[in-house]
Each structure stands twice: as structure tokens, then as C-alpha cells.
């Protein structure tokens, strides 16, 4: 049983209003790729600041921000007509964010009416979700920014969504990743859960009623909605993820400061994969090409206690090795989620938590549900073929 189920109820909610880009779909990676290629043509550099400036904006606002920021020699309209086909080509490659399909299935299965309210035009929304099986039919209402006078942060989109859901705004729960979206939800008089898509931004989200790290952490029961029933003894089984690469020398802090050795995978080799996974503490099986397959608990993220600048994946193999294995091929099958990454006020409390994670992972991995993955051929494929699958 999760501790938080005993937390007080916030509000009685009957409908859920969802944002699409950055909340349900991992659009950011595609947007970065397209803009990088496009700006390259004009000899302009791409950096993350551009991404921060356009999050949650309507396409027109985003284009205006890019023309201004990058001092492009074209009009906003020209930029849009050049970019649009480049984006449409990529929609089939957009992946759902971790937990998105689970959430949609859950609310749909429990008859909770859902609206999709996005700053994209209606046609783009329909095109994007057409690649996600079962999504379109799950929404009672789909509404785009071209169907109202003003997009987010104006409350209009959300108010119109509530109207079409036949619901009072105060009975709607908005789930949003961007600041304009959160502002719009509060202005509409709705309850708002923020799931920031950019790291280390939660301090900007004070307007939201709750800030969570990923869709895995949503607790519908806190809003009077049916709880998820797939948590087992404090862990959430997930569709297996596969990741791997040669072990590289880490920061030396895990073993030296925490007393917990963590193998590091090169962030370069894993960056694309890492960007698809939300930060958090996970568990699964690790295969070392010359040694065997071991239970593993790992953190994925920025390790706030150490204030890292890069997202890392750090598996702790739950076995006593008497030597390092730098350079060896390590393969991971990630099968369950434990908790969001957290900041700790003391080293002792961080270590206590990691030890608790280890006990949870060790116990969980004995369940038949998870032991079956120990035999996954991916874990023992030899060094020559280091393509990850799925
Ligand atoms: P940090 O723990 O901060 O990453 P190091 O990179 O110096 O520090 O040490 C971790 C290294 O120790 C790994 O790369 C691996 O070779 C080795 N190692 C030994 N035992 C384990 C284990 N149980 N889990 C992970 N790595 C281990
Ligand atoms: N570091 C954090 O700052 N916050 C965490 O919540 C956190 N959780 C961890 C969970 C596990 C299972 C492991 C192995 C490590 C965790 N760390 C966490 C530490 C971090 O991943 C890493 O070991 C240190 O940053 C040293 O490089
Ligand atoms: Mg390391």
C-alpha cells in the first residue's frame, strides 16, 4: 500500500482534461531535432534555451519567438510554412510519455470522461494521436487552439472543454506540463496537476495544486477519482525497457560518498533513450557480458543531492563484486518503477532511502511477474551486436 493513499482528499473531481504535447506525448525530442536541422540551414546554433522559450506555446507564438530569438531573415508565416511539413513528417515517430497510455486506459476503463485540450490546431492533434492505438476513442472531447479565440494561457480552451464535457470547471482536473497550460487551468477555475517536462523547473510551478515528477506518480484517489490498481507491494510494473552499453568510469561519488557502487553508462550513447524515460528509481535485471545476470536497482535522472547537470543512469548491481568492470558491456531490462527522484537534506537520509530501494527491488524481483525477465535473451547477447531493441 502506498503511503500517499492516506493523504487527504483534495477535491471531488469528475472529469479529466489533458494536455497533449509534453504531457502525453514526448514531442520535445522531435521538436528539437526539426528545429536543430532547420536553424542549421540558416547557420544558426541550436541550444536548449530555444526549447524553454517555446514550451506550451501555440505554433504561431512559438514561431514568433524563434524568429525573434534567432534573428531569422524570414517572416513568422514563412517560418511556419517551412516548418509544418518537417514536423508532420515526424509525427509518426513521436512516442507516448511513460505512463500516458496507462493513464488513458485507466480513466477510460473506469468511465471517467476525458478531454484533450491542446494549443495545437485540431488537425495536428488528430494526426498526432492517430499513431497511438486506442487514444482517439478514449476522449469524449478533443479541442484545439483553432477552435477558440485565444489559446493557453487564456482559460478559453479549458472552459470550452468543460462545457463540451457537460461539467462544471471546478469538477475538472487538468494535467499539464507547461506554464501557459497551468496558468490557463487555474484561470479556468480547475484543479491542476503539473508534470513539468523540463528538468529542475518545479519552483516555477507554484500555481499548480500539485507538482508530480511523471505520470507514474499521479494518484487519482487524491482527487476523488478511481485509484490505479496496478501497484504491487509498493512497486509499479512497467512494460520492459531495454538499455545498454559499455560501463564507463563514473563520478566516484556513489562508491566513495554513498558506499554504493553504481555502474555508469555513457550519457552520449544513451542520450536519446534517456530522454524518453522520466527520471526516477527503477529496478530490473542487469546482464554483464562475461559474468551473468543480476538483480539491479537504479536511479535515472539528475541526482538532485549532487546537483548533476546531466541526466544519468546509474545501476547498482545487487551482488558483491570484488572488482570494477569498466569497459564491459552492460545490458539492462527495466521492469518496474519504485519512486520519483528526490532531494535529500542529509547524506544519511539519502543512503537510507537507497537501501530501502534495494530491499524493495530485491523482494519484487522474486515475484514470478519479474523473475521471468531474467531469461530475456537481450541480457545475454554477446558484445558484437549492441543494438538495443524495442
Ligand atoms: P560511482 O559509484 O560513483 O559511479 P565508480 O564509477 O568509481 O563510482 O565506481 C563504480 C564502479 O564499480 C562500476 O563502474 C563498476 O565497475 C564497479 N562495481 C563494483 N560493484 C558494483 C555493483 N554492485 N554495482 C555497480 N557497479 C559496481
Ligand atoms: N540521488 C539523489 O539525489 N536522489 C535520489 O532520489 C537518488 N536515488 C537513488 C536511488 C538508487 C537506487 C541509487 C543507486 C542511487 C540514487 N541516487 C539518488 C544517487 C545517485 O544516483 C548517484 O549514485 C549519485 O549521484 C552519485 O553519482
Ligand atoms: Mg558510477
Amino acid at each position: 500500500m502506498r503511503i500517499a493513499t492516506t493523504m487527504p482528499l483534495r477535491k471531488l473531481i469528475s472529469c479529466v482534461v489533458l494536455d497533449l504535447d509534453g504531457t502525453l506525448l514526448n514531442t520535445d525530442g522531435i521538436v528539437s531535432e526539426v528545429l536543430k536541422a532547420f536553424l542549421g540551414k540558416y547557420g544558426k546554433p541550436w541550444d536548449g534555451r530555444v526549447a524553454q522559450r517555446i514550451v506550451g506555446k501555440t505554433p504561431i507564438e512559438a514561431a514568433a519567438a524563434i524568429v525573434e530569438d534567432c534573428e531569422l531573415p524570414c517572416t513568422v508565416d514563412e517560418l511556419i510554412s517551412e516548418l509544418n511539413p518537417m514536423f508532420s513528417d515526424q509525427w509518426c515517430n513521436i512516442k507516448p510519455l511513460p505512463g500516458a497510455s496507462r493513464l488513458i486506459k485507466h480513466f477510460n476503463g473506469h468511465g471517467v470522461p476525458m478531454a484533450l485540450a491542446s494549443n495545437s490546431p485540431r488537425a495536428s492533434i488528430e494526426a498526432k494521436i492517430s499513431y497511438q492505438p486506442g487514444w482517439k476513442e478514449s476522449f469524449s472531447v478533443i479541442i484545439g487552439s483553432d477552435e477558440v479565440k485565444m489559446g493557453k494561457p487564456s482559460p478559453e480552451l479549458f472552459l470550452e472543454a468543460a462545457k463540451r464535457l457537460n461539467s462544471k470547471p471546478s469538477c475538472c482536473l487538468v494535467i499539464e506540463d507547461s506554464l501557459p497550460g497551468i496558468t490557463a487551468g487555474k484561470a479556468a477555475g480547475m484543479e491542476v496537476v503539473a508534470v513539468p517536462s523540463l528538468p529542475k523547473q518545479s519552483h516555477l510551478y507554484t500555481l499548480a495544486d500539485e507538482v508530480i515528477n511523471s505520470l507514474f506518480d499521479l494518484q487519482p484517489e487524491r482527487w476523488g477519482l478511481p485509484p490505479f490498481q496496478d501497484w504491487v507491494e509498493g512497486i509499479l510494473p512497467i512494460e520492459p525497457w531495454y538499455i545498454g552499453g559499455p560501463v564507463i568510469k563514473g563520478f566516484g561519488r556513489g562508491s566513495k560518498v554513498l558506499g554504493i557502487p553504481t555502474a555508469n553508462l555513457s550519457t552520449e550513447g544513451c542520450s536519446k533513450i534517456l530522454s524518453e524515460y522520466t527520471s526516477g528509481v527503477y529496478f530490473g535485471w542487469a546482464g554483464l557480458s562475461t559474468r551473468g545476470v543480476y538483480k539491479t536497482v537504479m536511479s535515472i535522472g539528475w541526482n538532485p543531492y549532487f546537483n548533476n547537470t546531466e541526466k544519468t543512469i546509474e545501476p547498482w548491481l545487487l551482488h558483491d563484486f570484488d572488482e570494477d568492470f569498466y569497459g564491459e558491456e552492460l545490458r539492462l531490462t527495466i521492469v518496474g518503477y519504485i519512486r520519483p527522484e528526490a532531494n535529500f537534506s542529509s547524506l544519511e537520509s539519502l543512503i537510507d532511502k537507497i537501501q530501502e530501494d534495494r530491499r524493495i527491488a530485491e523482494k519484487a524481483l522474486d515475484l514470478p511477474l519479474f523473475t521471468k525477465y531474467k531469461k530475456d535473451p537481450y541480457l545475454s547477447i554477446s558484445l558484437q551486436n549492441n543494438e538495443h531493441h524495442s
Side-chain angles (χ1 to χ4, degrees):
M1 180 73 25
R2 305 175 72 200
I3 307 154
T5 49
T6 59
M7 281 184 184
L9 197 66
R10 309 282 303 239
K11 259 284 169 61
L12 270 179
I13 292 294
S14 50
C15 300
V16 176
V17 182
L18 292 155
D19 169 58
L20 183 61
D21 299 309
T23 300
L24 294 177
L25 287 181
N26 193 344
T27 333
D28 299 1
I30 301 282
V31 171
S32 308
E33 286 306 307
V34 167
L35 288 179
K36 209 186 282 173
F38 178 83
L39 291 174
K41 264 190 4 193
Y42 282 95
K44 303 279 177 180
W46 159 262
D47 74 64
R49 269 173 307 182
V50 184
Q52 297 220 6
R53 285 260 290 154
I54 61 173
V55 150
K57 293 198 162 149
T58 64
I60 297 171
E61 291 165 345
I66 294 167
V67 170
E68 194 194 304
D69 272 25
C70 305
E71 298 168 349
L72 296 180
C74 65
T75 67
V76 173
D77 284 341
E78 282 164 0
L79 179 69
I80 291 177
S81 47
E82 245 195 281
L83 283 178
N84 268 348
M86 295 174 80
F87 280 128
S88 322
D89 281 351
Q90 292 302 321
W91 283 336
C92 57
N93 296 323
I94 301 179
K95 297 217 172 88
L97 278 157
S101 288
R102 163 183 180 254
L103 180 145
I104 291 170
K105 223 179 272 166
H106 174 73
F107 288 132
N108 190 46
H110 283 86
V112 177
M114 277 184 289
L116 191 56
S118 164
N119 255 356
S120 303
R122 171 70 178 255
S124 316
I125 304 175
E126 302 255 359
K128 279 183 246 183
I129 64 172
S130 69
Y131 296 98
Q132 311 303 331
W135 283 25
K136 186 178 189 324
E137 310 80 82
S138 300
F139 295 104
S140 315
V141 171
I142 296 177
I143 176 167
S145 60
D146 53 340
E147 295 175 75
V148 290
K149 280 201 232 63
M150 275 201 284
K152 308 169 196 175
S154 157
E156 234 191 305
L157 259 176
F158 288 142
L159 291 173
E160 183 60 27
K163 202 160 145 197
R164 296 194 200 171
L165 285 167
N166 286 318
S167 170
K168 284 191 295 192
S170 62
C171 294
C172 294
L173 177 68
V174 170
I175 304 178
E176 258 288 353
D177 72 303
S178 76
L179 223 42
I182 290 153
T183 310
K186 287 320 292 178
M190 299 179 174
E191 297 294 303
V192 178
V193 172
V195 198
S197 55
L198 296 171
K200 298 182 176 175
Q201 301 276 310
S202 19
H203 61 286
L204 297 174
Y205 290 70
T206 46
L207 202 57
D209 297 285
E210 189 186 10
V211 182
I212 55 176
N213 182 65
S214 78
L215 295 176
F216 289 147
D217 304 315
L218 181 74
Q219 296 177 288
E221 62 276 24
R222 296 193 68 190
W223 309 93
L225 292 165
F228 283 108
Q229 275 147 0
D230 45 2
W231 285 84
V232 191
E233 298 176 31
I235 55 97
L236 177 67
I238 58 176
E239 275 297 303
W241 297 343
Y242 300 93
I243 191 167
V247 173
I248 56 159
K249 185 138 184 64
F251 303 101
R253 296 187 307 223
S255 40
K256 291 190 190 73
V257 181
L258 299 171
I260 293 155
T262 55
N264 287 73
L265 297 173
S266 141
T267 43
E268 256 162 59
C270 299
S271 69
K272 202 173 146 45
I273 301 170
L274 273 180
S275 76
E276 287 170 17
Y277 300 151
T278 33
S279 63
V281 177
Y282 296 86
F283 64 87
W285 298 96
L288 275 169
S289 49
T290 62
R291 297 166 200 260
V293 175
Y294 308 94
K295 289 180 174 177
T296 298
V297 64
M298 74 208 83
S299 82
I300 296 181
W302 291 267
N303 310 316
Y305 183 84
F306 294 96
N307 202 22
N308 285 358
T309 50
E310 242 185 332
K311 196 178 187 186
T312 60
I313 175 162
E314 306 202 347
W316 176 21
L317 279 56
L318 302 175
H319 177 84
D320 276 326
F321 295 95
D322 43 26
E323 56 180 354
D324 288 337
F325 34 84
Y326 297 120
E328 264 185 59
E329 177 82 1
L330 177 80
R331 298 195 150 209
L332 292 168
T333 304
I334 305 176
V335 298
Y337 172 76
I338 301 179
R339 64 172 174 92
E341 247 203 326
N343 201 354
F344 292 86
S345 52
S346 70
L347 194 60
E348 293 70 43
S349 55
L350 172 58
I351 294 172
D352 283 352
K353 193 65 179 179
I354 298 176
Q355 292 292 347
E356 183 189 319
D357 294 332
R358 176 188 63 124
R359 287 191 296 273
I360 292 172
E362 267 182 333
K363 196 160 157 251
L365 285 161
D366 284 332
L367 298 169
L369 178 63
F370 300 120
T371 46
K372 65 173 186 231
Y373 294 112
K374 189 178 180 183
K375 293 183 210 84
D376 197 313
Y378 173 76
L379 295 172
S380 46
I381 289 172
S382 71
L383 276 161
Q384 294 94 289
N385 174 8
N386 63 24
E387 286 281 290
H388 64 91
H389 71 237
S390 184

